[in-house]
Amino acid sequence: MSMIEFKNVEKYYGKFHALKNINLEFEKGEVVVVIGPSGSGKSTMLRTINGLETISSGNLLINDKDIRSKETKLTEIRRNIGMVFQHFNLYPNKTVLENITLAPIKVLKLSETEAIERAEKILDRVGMLDKKDSYPSMLSGGQQQRVAIARGLAMQPEMLLFDEPTSALDPEMIGDVLDVMKKIAHEGMSMIVVTHEMGFAREVADRVIFMAEGQVLEDSRNVKEFFEN
Ligand code: ADP
Ligand code: ADP
């Protein structure tokens, strides 16, 4: 069973046809990179998976449950499939540590002590433990993005989605964020990454999907060959 399955999925924004007959399956353990020109529907495809966009027709199954069925709870999907955005989306009035402990306490019902212990371990993994008492505005974009990744990891999700995680960063910050992403990929996290970073794709991806004008034009598990052609 695939973790995520798109069957004949279409998405319209008004009259604009953003996703055209998408048929894709994503498995647990895969690191998938989605590339393609701006406006080709990559972000839309990603955002449908955790219900940030609705689909217009077709079926989208998450762990075999249709995302549009009445029994499907988006909060459950979002607990299980984390997302990292281009613009970090951290809470500005909370410290780094509070940003990370919030959902584990509220949603997973961890005690504050457990949540802090978990958060500190993860902050250490992303190289941000020394900034745990800082507020987001005191951090660089690259540091904020590493905190956003830590926040995703703190929920111990089955999968993490990344929507152009380095596109809003100054060039000198990009490497640190990609290094963290490489590390968690090597630790076995299931990931779908929309990015323009071809070096990352070539090095880390198990599979590359190429989209253009709302369609999947290529879907290759032979990443090396994909980039040679
Ligand atoms: P990509 O991630 O490949 O750059 P997007 O999925 O963000 O592409 O967008 C695909 C197309 O859909 C673009 O032309 C974009 O302008 C349009 N689009 C995205 N979101 C909306 C929206 N909320 N309303 C109308 N059009 C949208
Ligand atoms: P980010 O860079 O943070 O991913 P985007 O600029 O891609 O943000 O999009 C921000 C929001 O605007 C998204 O919810 C997206 O769906 C919406 N959006 C994108 N393109 C359009 C558009 N052409 N018309 C209306 N809304 C759009």
Side-chain angles (χ1 to χ4, degrees), residues 95-136:
T95 66
V96 164
L97 195 67
E98 289 163 351
N99 262 279
I100 297 171
T101 56
L102 186 75
I105 291 171
K106 236 176 140 168
V107 180
L108 304 181
K109 313 287 180 210
L110 295 195
S111 72
E112 199 175 331
T113 317
E114 288 170 317
I116 290 173
E117 195 178 315
R118 183 185 286 191
E120 288 181 343
K121 272 190 197 146
I122 295 169
L123 279 171
D124 195 31
R125 270 162 73 197
V126 305
M128 291 296 297
L129 187 55
D130 59 334
K131 299 287 186 198
K132 67 178 175 146
D133 297 318
S134 300
Y135 286 87

Side-chain angles (χ1 to χ4, degrees), residues 13 16 18 37-44:
Y13 292 111
F16 183 78
S38 188
S40 56
K42 305 180 300 293
S43 175
T44 299

Side-chain angles (χ1 to χ4, degrees), residues 13-14 16-19 36-45 47 53 163-164 194 196 211:
Y13 292 111
F16 183 78
H17 201 174
L19 294 179
S38 188
S40 56
K42 305 180 300 293
S43 175
T44 299
M45 189 274 289
R47 293 163 65 91
E53 298 288 352
D163 193 358
E164 300 203 22
V194 172
H196 298 286
M211 292 183 69

